[in-house]
Amino acid sequence: MTFDLTPEQDQLRDAVRALGRRYGHSYFVAKAKSGEHTTELWAEAGQLGYLGVNIPTEYGGGGGGITELAIVCEELAAAGCPLLLLVVSPAIAATVINRHGTEEQRKRHLPGLADGSQKIVFAITEPEAGSNFHRLGTVARRDGDGWLISGRKCYISGVDEAGHVLVVARTEDSSTGKLKPALFLVPTDAAGLTRSKLDMEILSPENQFLLYLDDVRVPADALVGESLDAGLPALFAGLNPERITVAAMGAGTGRYAIERASDYTATRKVWGGRSIGSHQGVSHPLAHAAVQVELARLMIQKAAILYDAGRDLEAGVAGNMAKYAAGEAAALAVDTAVQVLGGAGMTTEYGVATLLGAVRAGRIAPVSREMILNFVAQHVLGQEKSY
């Protein structure tokens, strides 16, 4: 076992860090407050190949895995630019299409996902069912040589920036009559697809939406995979990368907050010429947060390595643990940074309170800490299912 990155991964980390710092948190905040998107950063990251590090080279990607994409997510967040659509488009959509899409779907979508010219967002969550696909109300039914999709989705990120949305719906299995999940690539300008922006108390350049699908007609080749049998494996293919990259983004955000706070407390002098960081009441909470972030990073690394090795079941456990650990660590780090900065911590200038909403959401989405604890209790500790 080694904790060292390969030379190529080290180079990737350094290069992404440099890109992120060139834009910085002030860029991120300015875009969010003006209602704009991080278009310039996204485009440059795509041109440099960072958005497609996990996409095979034959489709224009870097040929790496989720380990490399987690590095990209973490380093941009550590520079104060946590890009949520990295999780949605390269991690979820590209993985699903690469692993379970048809060859035509790979050729059509993966090159654009790799260079950043195309974004595909993900729609599973519903007002009544949450993300429990067993209770999804969105249904797809056959209509001639195509499909009609009807239902509602909520908390769907970045629909206004994307050309397609990867919709999770339920279809009827003709052999059993039972409903089974299927994934469809639906153009965001399709007739019958409407959206409503959700007002969120999160400072982010990426917006959240309610989606309404009213008999949205899509052709047969919108179905991800060769048949309906691809639906369930395709759905689960995107969940581990989602958790790992969300965790990486949280760890990066925690690193950013601790760095900002440490720089401040090492130089801020109030009593007797000593820095406030020399007092244990200030330094110990920061040190504790740093330990928690580093522990989360170790679990993220483990989860990514397991996933890239094709050990999906083990990666599922590690990915859930990583997401839990990083969510808690990021929230702790940002809250601690605000506290040790005092009044300065609440200003926009010092750039830590601007992340409070995002890290709090990280303890809820894409799966809540409570559901992860349910998962660990059942699948690791052997307890009876509680829900």
Side-chain angles (χ1 to χ4, degrees), residues 304-379:
I305 289 171
L306 288 170
Y307 184 83
D308 289 337
R311 296 161 65 178
D312 288 351
L313 291 177
E314 294 166 277
V317 173
N320 274 293
M321 288 183 171
K323 192 272 171 188
Y324 179 97
E328 299 298 301
L332 174 66
V334 172
D335 185 68
T336 301
V338 171
Q339 187 68 24
V340 300
L341 265 69
M346 295 304 297
T347 67
T348 302
E349 177 186 357
Y350 283 89
V352 285
T354 45
L355 294 165
L356 281 170
V359 294
R360 187 61 186 84
R363 300 175 73 202
I364 301 169
V367 57
S368 71
R369 62 194 297 276
E370 290 76 18
M371 286 305 293
I372 291 176
L373 293 176
N374 283 336
F375 176 91
V376 172
Q378 181 183 348
H379 295 282

Side-chain angles (χ1 to χ4, degrees), residues 105-130:
Q105 288 167 344
R106 295 188 192 100
K107 290 178 178 177
R108 188 189 316 159
H109 296 290
L110 291 182
L113 292 174
D115 66 20
S117 61
Q118 182 178 173
K119 295 175 184 174
I120 298 177
V121 296
F122 183 59
I124 181 172
T125 308
E126 294 185 0
E128 301 300 326

Side-chain angles (χ1 to χ4, degrees), residues 220-276:
D221 62 2
L223 175 69
V224 174
E226 300 288 352
S227 72
L228 290 176
D229 292 335
L232 192 57
L235 173 59
F236 280 106
L239 297 184
N240 285 341
E242 176 190 52
R243 282 150 175 69
I244 294 167
T245 50
V246 164
M249 190 167 65
T253 301
R255 285 173 51 202
Y256 166 82
I258 291 168
E259 181 180 349
R260 294 287 290 175
S262 297
D263 288 346
Y264 179 87
T265 56
T267 57
R268 171 75 167 159
K269 296 179 180 179
V270 180
W271 299 287
R274 298 178 62 189
S275 69
I276 61 172

Side-chain angles (χ1 to χ4, degrees), residues 69-104:
L69 187 58
I71 289 172
V72 175
C73 291
E74 181 181 344
E75 289 306 320
L76 286 180
C81 298
L83 300 186
L84 179 58
L85 286 191
L86 278 171
V87 174
V88 179
S89 197
I92 300 176
T95 300
V96 167
I97 293 170
N98 181 51
R99 290 185 63 168
H100 295 284
T102 64
E103 181 59 23
E104 176 56 33

